[in-house]
């Protein structure tokens, strides 16, 4: 992809740990008593900061994530609000998922103007804590006990030149405008951090399938994102221009084969595939396992949480399970049954609550391979030309090319037959209970 092909070009907000803590305090009245707990989390193109604190003077200390969204996605405020509403909707359905906290402006999102270059010294947090106590020396504003109501124009210079954006024109060479929100933290371990077993993989599939089943009830065709780089609908058109960043000719050849299979076997059937809102990225770093029984290794479905709703999209439902299966096939830990059967257990769980149509089944293997290519090629491009220091971007590439090749050389009919047989065996066993 060239510089004139911009969908992947994002500017990661230039916000540091101490600035994030002050933003949480000033915008969300979060009282942070120990800055040593504030830490930055992995992210592709946003900034995410884990922190502990109490809201509005409450005594109970809880866990949160301050999310500062990249400048490109922040332009779509309506979509970001929908994202928040969907998190709240899933929470009402009993899902353990991220959910937004209201800001001092009584909104979930606060758009902030952030200097591209660090400006120190406008407001300093004390070394050990950040509080919402009175700070009349900066703006004559009191945030004590969460009692203040602030207008957009009254809060300037939150920290180091960062301020609430007032809608006025600004220099894009000097500033970014980014949406800031505070999310409740979902505690637990990620799927790639826990010992795997077949029941766990099955339950993870049930969790994602249940979420998709319930998301059908949220009307959201306005969440169509035709230019969204990570939508599989036009994966071939998006990734082939990026191949300049892939240095191994054999890898390039595999990607071109997958793109051709997508054009031949998937594109002509896209109009036949059911559509709805999907999470868009239910991978092993976005499924959180928090057992209520510490001695249980099976992780019941209700103990599986979901995070990171930034890729929400109104698109083909089958894309969801294709994305999940790709990441199951790319897990570092491998059970004795092998990767394809590991994915089969996830598939069986998903299908038990959200069965796929015959057309969806036909296109599934190529979609799985397409997601492999998408993640690997985008990762190579962004790492090389956009954000070279971000190791998280290359997470898939650790084993991805090898696992893609292994999956791609296995006959698609054989893979699909195995997964369908595993799903059918599960259904029969459930019927016998």
């Amino acid at each position: 992809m060239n510089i004139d092909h911009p969908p992947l070009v994002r500017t990661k907000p230039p916000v540091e740990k101490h600035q994030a803590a002050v933003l949480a305090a000033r915008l969300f009245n979060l009282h942070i008593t120990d800055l040593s707990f504030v830490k930055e989390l992995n992210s592709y193109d946003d900034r995410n900061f884990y922190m502990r604190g109490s809201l509005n003077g409450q005594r109970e200390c809880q866990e949160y994530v301050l999310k500062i969204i990249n400048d490109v996605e922040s332009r779509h405020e309506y979509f970001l609000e929908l994202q928040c509403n969907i998190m709240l909707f899933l929470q009402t359905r009993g899902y353990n998922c991220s959910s937004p906290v209201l800001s001092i402006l009584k909104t979930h999102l606060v758009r902030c103007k952030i200097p591209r270059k660090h400006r120190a010294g406008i407001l300093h947090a004390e070394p050990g804590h950040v509080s919402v106590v009175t700070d009349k020396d900066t703006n004559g504003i009191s945030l004590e006990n969460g009692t203040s109501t602030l207008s957009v124009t009254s809060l300037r210079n939150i920290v180091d030149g960062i301020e609430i954006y007032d809608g006025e024109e600004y220099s894009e060479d000097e500033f970014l405008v980014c949406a800031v929100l505070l999310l409740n933290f979902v505690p637990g371990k990620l799927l790639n951090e826990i010992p795997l077993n077949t029941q766990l993989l099955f339950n993870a599939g049930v969790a994602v399938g249940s979420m998709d089943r319930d998301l059908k009830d949220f009307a959201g065709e306005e969440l169509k994102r035709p230019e969204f780089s990570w939508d599989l609908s036009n994966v071939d058109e998006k990734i082939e221009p990026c191949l300049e960043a892939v240095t191994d000719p054999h890898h390039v050849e595999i990607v071109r084969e997958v793109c051709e299979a997508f054009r031949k076997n998937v594109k002509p059937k896209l109009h036949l595939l059911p559509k709805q809102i999907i999470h868009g990225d239910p991978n092993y770093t976005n499924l959180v396992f928090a057992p209520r029984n510490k001695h249980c290794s099976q992780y019941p479905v209700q103990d599986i949480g979901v995070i990171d709703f930034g890729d929400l999209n109104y698109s083909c439902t089958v894309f969801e399970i294709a994305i999940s299966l790709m990441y199951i096939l790319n897990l570092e830990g491998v059970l004795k049954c092998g990767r394809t059967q590991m994915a089969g257990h996830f598939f069986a769980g998903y299908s038990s609550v959200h069965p796929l149509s015959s057309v969806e089944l036909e296109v599934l293997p190529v979609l799985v391979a397409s997601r492999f290519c998408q993640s690997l090629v985008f990762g190579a491009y962004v790492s090389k030309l956009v954000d070279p220091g971000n190791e998280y971007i290359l997470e898939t590439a650790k084993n991805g090319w090898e696992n893609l090749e292994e999956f791609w050389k296995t006959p698609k009919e054989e893979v699909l037959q195995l997964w369908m047989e595993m799903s059918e065996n599960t259904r029969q066993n459930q019927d016998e209970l």
Side-chain angles (χ1 to χ4, degrees):
M1 184 166 79
N2 302 314
I3 200 66
D4 59 349
H5 193 67
L8 286 177
V9 178
R10 305 281 194 271
T11 301
K12 211 167 188 179
V15 176
E16 299 176 6
K17 186 174 78 169
H18 79 279
Q19 296 169 320
V22 177
L23 283 170
R26 300 298 303 274
L27 298 179
F28 297 93
N29 280 353
L30 183 68
H31 179 78
I32 303 170
T33 56
D34 191 345
L35 279 176
S36 66
F37 286 114
V38 179
K39 63 180 181 180
E40 185 167 5
L41 305 175
N42 288 329
S43 178
Y44 209 94
D45 47 23
D46 300 325
R47 294 279 186 195
N48 297 322
F49 294 91
Y50 168 86
M51 51 190 67
R52 298 180 187 179
S54 55
L55 287 173
N56 299 325
Q58 297 174 0
R59 291 185 178 181
E60 185 178 0
C61 184
Q62 296 184 335
E63 299 171 291
Y64 299 92
V65 173
L66 187 83
K67 188 175 188 70
I68 305 158
I69 298 170
N70 68 77
D71 61 321
V72 176
E73 300 298 337
S74 291
R75 296 168 191 166
H76 307 292
E77 194 167 358
Y78 177 69
F79 163 74
L80 295 175
E81 281 291 350
L82 272 175
Q83 192 181 117
C84 291
N85 291 337
I86 289 172
M87 286 188 269
L88 294 170
F89 166 79
L90 287 174
Q91 199 172 55
T92 64
R93 292 291 178 98
Y95 289 89
N96 184 22
C97 63
S98 311
S99 59
V101 173
L102 281 176
S103 72
I104 57 172
L105 303 178
K106 308 303 180 187
T107 59
H108 293 129
L109 302 161
V110 180
R111 298 180 76 201
C112 289
K113 190 168 73 171
I114 302 172
R116 288 182 180 269
K117 294 182 179 179
H118 182 65
R119 294 182 179 182
I122 295 177
L123 176 66
H124 296 285
E126 294 182 26
H129 71 279
V130 176
S131 180
V132 292
V133 297
T134 303
D135 181 14
K136 292 184 181 295
D137 290 337
T138 52
N139 301 298
I141 298 167
S142 171
L143 295 177
E144 189 170 11
N145 298 323
T147 57
S148 297
T149 301
L150 303 179
S151 70
V152 174
T153 57
S154 68
L155 190 53
R156 299 295 191 193
N157 299 333
I158 302 170
V159 57
D160 298 339
I162 301 174
E163 60 186 56
I164 290 181
Y165 177 54
D166 57 10
E168 295 181 359
E169 290 187 15
Y170 64 96
S171 169
E172 293 189 7
D173 293 332
E174 295 184 46
F175 296 95
L176 299 169
V177 171
C178 298
V180 181
L181 65 160
L182 187 69
L183 300 169
N184 290 298
F185 179 76
V186 180
K189 292 187 175 181
L190 305 179
L191 178 57
N192 62 338
E193 297 175 337
I194 56 179
L196 298 174
N197 58 61
T198 56
Q199 186 63 49
L200 184 151
L201 291 168
F202 179 87
N203 289 350
V206 173
V208 176
S210 299
M211 177 177 64
D212 284 348
R213 181 191 59 198
D214 284 344
L215 281 173
K216 283 184 176 180
D217 294 338
F218 193 100
E221 285 200 40
E222 61 268 38
L223 264 174
K224 289 179 180 177
R225 303 169 72 182
E227 300 303 318
F228 184 44
S229 298
W230 291 93
D231 184 14
L232 284 171
S233 296
N234 51 6
V235 62
D236 56 326
E237 299 171 17
K238 296 290 187 182
I239 64 175
E240 282 188 315
C242 301
L243 280 172
E244 64 184 73
V246 179
T247 56
D248 189 322
H250 181 57
H251 293 163
V252 173
E253 181 183 357
I254 294 174
V255 173
R256 293 199 185 281
E257 285 181 13
V258 174
C259 287
E260 186 55 37
F262 179 86
R263 279 189 284 267
K264 180 180 178 181
N265 301 316
V266 179
K267 266 197 170 178
K269 299 175 182 177
L270 285 175
H271 68 287
L272 301 174
L273 300 175
K275 294 180 175 61
Q276 64 168 84
I277 290 176
I278 58 174
H279 176 279
D281 195 18
N283 68 58
Y284 47 62
T285 65
N286 289 334
L287 297 178
V288 182
F289 295 74
R292 298 169 196 180
N293 180 354
K294 294 183 179 179
H295 302 290
C296 177
S297 62
Q298 301 302 331
Y299 294 95
V301 175
Q302 61 268 27
D303 291 350
I304 302 175
V306 184
I307 60 175
D308 193 355
F309 289 80
D311 286 353
L312 278 168
N313 193 15
Y314 183 88
S315 196
C316 300
T317 311
V318 68
F319 292 173
E320 191 90 294
I321 186 171
I323 292 166
S324 285
L325 290 173
M326 178 248 122
Y327 288 100
I328 299 298
L329 288 163
N330 202 46
L331 280 165
E332 287 193 35
V334 184
L335 301 178
K336 290 183 179 179
C337 63
R339 293 185 184 280
T340 306
Q341 286 203 35
M342 287 171 61
H345 287 290
F346 186 99
F347 173 86
Y350 185 98
S351 301
S352 69
V353 292
H354 200 284
L356 273 64
S357 69
S358 59
V359 182
E360 289 176 309
L361 289 168
E362 289 173 14
V363 300
L364 183 58
V366 175
L367 286 173
V368 173
S370 297
R371 178 61 174 203
F372 257 118
C373 295
Q374 188 182 54
S375 184
L376 290 165
V377 174
F378 282 173
Y381 174 81
V382 175
S383 177
K384 183 177 181 180
L385 299 174
V386 180
D387 191 4
N390 191 343
E391 295 182 4
Y392 177 70
I393 290 170
L394 296 176
E395 175 73 22
T396 303
K398 290 179 181 177
N399 308 295
W401 289 109
E402 177 184 344
N403 292 330
L404 166 60
E405 185 169 6
E406 180 184 343
F407 177 75
W408 189 242
K409 72 181 181 183
T410 306
K412 313 302 172 290
E413 299 79 9
E414 182 181 317
V415 171
L416 195 55
Q417 182 177 354
L418 173 64
W419 289 350
M420 291 173 66
E421 287 176 355
M422 294 177 70
S423 179
E424 178 61 21
N425 290 339
T426 299
R427 189 189 64 79
Q428 290 179 358
N429 291 337
Q430 289 177 333
D431 289 345
E432 292 172 4
L433 294 177

